[in-house]
Amino acid sequence: EPEVTQTPSHQVTQMGQEVILRCVPISNHLYFYWYRQILGQKVEFLVSFYNNEISEKSEIFDDQFSVERPDGSNFTLKIRSTKLEDSAMYFCASSAEGSYNEQFFGPGTRLTVL
Amino acid sequence: AQSVTQLGSHVSVSEGALVLLRCNYSSSVPPYLFWYVQYPNQGLQLLLKYTTGATLVKGINGFEAEFKKSETSFHLTKPSAHMSDAAEYFCAVSVVNTGFQKLVFGTGTRLLVSP
């Protein structure tokens, strides 16, 4: 069964460093998403991406964040200069259609900023 | 704005007992509602969803949920809990803006199942 994969499973970085979280969505999906979950809090929407551009972003997704689909398979989330409060589990998701269809989630990357 | 409230961060049941996980939503438009499950060290897996039509929806692993507009609720139930049901459960509402969907999640409920 096709699945969304994410690497690495755990990333530890120093404050101020850049990190890139990688995702491989399901191959025939066209819509891509990033969510995050700070420990003990709810899962929050960060950004959606379609046709090589951002379709919507939340207020969390400031200038320090960027997304890219560098090739036909990967979907990346970059944080330019990490802050302590960026420590969270980051989930990638993809869906075949944008509206009303199931989003398939990856296992997440736990980011720890020291 | 759409939102979801899950009552109870932890629910404990005995194996074989009824499982009831509560979810109430707030939405200015007819909602699309989802329940996701997260097993340890895994991603979020869709249990079931309500879009339109029948208000009682059946999902995987014997779970079902009923959409009650009058109560703005979408509670998740299972008649008989299994040890393997122990996991975190998230209720979510879909927000559609210009054709693109995002999910707004509740805070989650951890289901504990004892022998």
Side-chain angles (χ1 to χ4, degrees):
Chain A
E1 187 176 325
E3 58 182 16
V4 177
T5 59
Q6 291 185 243
T7 54
S9 56
H10 192 187
Q11 172 96 44
V12 181
T13 189
Q14 296 289 326
M15 191 169 56
Q17 294 297 303
E18 174 183 288
V19 294
I20 297 176
L21 310 183
R22 301 180 192 282
C23 168
V24 179
I26 294 173
S27 63
N28 62 344
H29 284 185
L30 301 175
Y31 298 82
F32 313 112
Y33 311 83
W34 283 101
Y35 292 81
R36 80 171 186 190
Q37 183 183 28
I38 295 172
L39 188 64
Q41 298 185 26
K42 62 174 70 175
V43 177
E44 301 172 291
F45 169 80
L46 288 179
V47 65
S48 58
F49 190 85
Y50 170 73
N51 199 25
N52 282 319
E53 58 183 33
I54 290 173
S55 50
E56 187 177 354
K57 59 184 181 180
S58 72
E59 60 273 11
I60 303 168
F61 195 89
D62 61 22
D63 292 345
Q64 293 300 312
F65 290 88
S66 62
V67 289
E68 194 177 35
R69 189 154 162 82
D71 53 43
S73 59
N74 288 283
F75 178 51
T76 61
L77 174 69
K78 182 194 290 187
I79 309 175
R80 262 179 272 282
S81 177
T82 50
K83 307 183 189 70
L84 294 176
E85 54 265 36
D86 294 327
S87 295
M89 181 74 91
Y90 288 80
F91 293 105
C92 173
S94 68
S95 68
E97 299 287 339
S99 302
Y100 318 130
N101 276 290
E102 178 183 355
Q103 292 184 21
F104 291 79
F105 283 79
T109 292
R110 179 163 296 285
L111 176 66
T112 302
V113 182
L114 302 176
Chain B
Q2 280 85 341
S3 66
V4 164
T5 302
Q6 290 183 246
L7 294 175
S9 59
H10 292 80
V11 169
S12 294
V13 300
S14 299
E15 193 173 22
L18 171 72
V19 175
L20 170 61
L21 305 183
R22 298 178 187 276
C23 172
N24 288 88
Y25 69 89
S26 171
S27 177
S28 55
V29 298
Y32 284 49
L33 296 160
F34 304 79
W35 274 100
Y36 280 84
V37 61
Q38 184 181 29
Y39 298 103
N41 301 315
Q42 295 188 29
L44 299 166
Q45 180 184 6
L46 182 69
L47 271 181
L48 48 79
K49 66 180 180 183
Y50 168 78
T51 53
T52 57
T55 56
L56 181 64
V57 292
K58 295 185 186 299
I60 61 172
N61 302 338
F63 284 93
E64 60 184 39
E66 186 170 11
F67 170 65
K68 291 187 177 179
K69 184 178 178 182
S70 61
E71 298 178 9
T72 62
S73 69
F74 191 57
H75 301 329
L76 182 71
T77 60
K78 181 173 180 178
S80 177
H82 238 255
M83 296 294 291
S84 59
D85 294 327
E88 185 103 23
Y89 292 80
F90 294 93
C91 183
V93 62
S94 175
V95 178
V96 179
N97 182 21
T98 63
F100 298 100
Q101 177 201 163
K102 70 179 182 187
L103 295 174
V104 174
F105 286 87
T107 50
T109 298
R110 184 167 296 280
L111 177 65
L112 307 167
V113 183
S114 56

